[in-house]
Amino acid sequence: VPFIQKPENLSHEDLVRRASSLVTDSTNTFVSQTTLALLDSLTGYVKAINSLVKLHKRYVDSISKLSPVEENAIWQVILGQRQEVIDKRKDYKQFESCWMTAINLSKLAADAAFNAGADQASVTAQSSLQVAQSQVEHFQQLMQEAERDLKDSNAENSERLQNHSTGVEDEDIPDAYLRED
Amino acid sequence: VPFIQKPENLSHEDLVRRASSLVTDSTNTFVSQTTLALLDSLTGYVKAINSLVKLHKRYVDSISKLSPVEENAIWQVILGQRQEVIDKRKDYKQFESCWMTAINLSKLAADAAFNAGADQASVTAQSSLQVAQSQVEHFQQLMQEAERDLKDSNAENSERLQNHSTGVEDEDIPDAYLRED
């Protein structure tokens, strides 16, 4: 704790109130930055899901018309897109955790500012919080819709439709070997 | 949440990390200011207790030598000093509550900074916290000793020693009136 010369005419109450306003200023910024990061990562996650669902639907719809080579190529793209969904989900979870920490800090800071008599700082912090929370809620609804589509389509967990697979390699492996534990 | 243009070459992680450092900077300041306020109020409280204990001891020790006028004058000073102890205790409790809020905010901010990758900011915040806590602990020990002396002396709650009171006014009041409920 550095020594801070107490300015003339400022009481400890004044100095504590000012310091608590500094805290709400910085937690407001922290909330802003984590909100932007979270919204961006939510957008990326929703886009990745939508791409996978579309791609998977096209694969299922056209499976009877695909050559083995085409089927394999599209399946590889689907696998890549599944990984994209996993990566984007991880990003979003990470920023969501950061954002929740920022929200908690900001709530505490708003309470502290109120208790220290920095009413305006407290009100500003609370209104920033509300805007951030309603923005995130809106994007979380979009995400939940996308996740529902993902689940309904089974695009993340479906088995490969191998009716166009040549199956040659499998036939080369003796049954006994396949059954070995 | 204001719109903040994302600077080129800075990722969301960078911006969140910077914002979390701002938070630890401000919570460090908040801890400093509330610590100084708390230490000052603790010092004032301890001084008020010590004055009361000394004054009360002088009163008790010299009661047999005091004239009724002197006894009354000293008793009035004791009553004033008892109120001073109550006021200073209230001040100290108020700043202690503020200080604990600041400590909690700073701990959360240090964790948030660590999770956001702002390791240095987190370490700085933690060491500020430790210094503040050990300073306050030292003063709290002095306060506890003073409160023990206060309790042992009974200086805050003792009855007035009225053996030097003239008692004239009391004797003017009929016993029946005094016993009225």
Side-chain angles (χ1 to χ4, degrees), chain A residues 21-124:
Chain A
S21 293
L22 286 182
V23 175
T24 57
D25 285 351
S26 68
T27 55
N28 289 345
T29 303
F30 194 37
V31 167
S32 296
Q33 294 289 15
T34 54
T35 300
L36 290 170
L38 175 57
L39 297 186
D40 252 21
S41 66
L42 271 171
T43 305
Y45 177 46
V46 167
K47 272 189 190 166
I49 290 177
N50 291 342
S51 293
L52 175 60
V53 170
K54 253 188 220 165
L55 193 64
H56 185 261
K57 183 172 163 41
R58 211 163 58 201
Y59 171 75
V60 172
D61 289 352
S62 61
I63 190 70
S64 61
K65 294 168 229 154
L66 296 174
S67 72
V69 171
E70 285 169 333
E71 189 270 351
N72 182 58
I74 295 178
W75 188 252
Q76 295 314 314
V77 177
I78 287 176
L79 292 183
Q81 192 60 31
R82 285 180 176 178
Q83 189 56 49
E84 181 81 359
V85 167
I86 290 169
D87 293 345
K88 295 289 184 185
R89 184 182 291 138
K90 200 180 142 202
D91 277 3
Y92 134 68
K93 294 269 185 199
Q94 185 201 325
F95 283 122
E96 188 180 50
S97 149
C98 231
W99 180 77
M100 289 192 298
T101 303
I103 292 289
N104 286 336
L105 263 167
S106 189
K107 281 180 183 167
L108 262 185
D111 288 349
F114 182 79
N115 291 332
D119 301 21
Q120 189 53 51
S122 178
V123 168
T124 304

Side-chain angles (χ1 to χ4, degrees), chain B residues 114-154:
Chain B
F114 181 80
N115 291 333
D119 300 22
Q120 190 53 51
S122 179
V123 168
T124 304
Q126 281 167 344
S127 78
S128 293
L129 265 174
Q130 280 167 1
V131 173
Q133 283 175 316
S134 69
Q135 282 182 320
V136 168
E137 272 166 27
H138 174 65
F139 277 71
Q140 280 173 334
Q141 278 172 7
L142 298 179
M143 181 197 73
Q144 280 156 11
E145 286 167 27
E147 284 188 329
R148 205 177 311 120
D149 289 347
L150 180 64
K151 205 183 165 196
D152 292 347
S153 69
N154 202 24

Side-chain angles (χ1 to χ4, degrees), chain B residues 22-93:
Chain B
L22 286 182
V23 176
T24 58
D25 285 351
S26 67
T27 55
N28 289 347
T29 303
F30 194 38
V31 167
S32 296
Q33 294 288 15
T34 54
T35 300
L36 290 170
L38 176 57
L39 298 186
D40 253 20
S41 66
L42 271 172
T43 304
Y45 177 47
V46 167
K47 274 189 189 164
I49 290 177
N50 291 343
S51 294
L52 175 59
V53 170
K54 255 189 219 164
L55 195 63
H56 185 260
K57 183 175 162 39
R58 215 163 55 202
Y59 171 76
V60 171
D61 288 353
S62 59
I63 190 71
S64 61
K65 295 168 230 154
L66 296 175
S67 72
V69 171
E70 286 170 333
E71 190 271 350
N72 181 58
I74 296 178
W75 187 252
Q76 296 312 315
V77 177
I78 286 176
L79 291 182
Q81 192 61 29
R82 283 182 177 176
Q83 189 56 48
E84 181 81 359
V85 167
I86 290 168
D87 293 345
K88 295 289 184 187
R89 184 182 291 136
K90 200 180 142 204
D91 276 4
Y92 135 68
K93 292 271 185 197

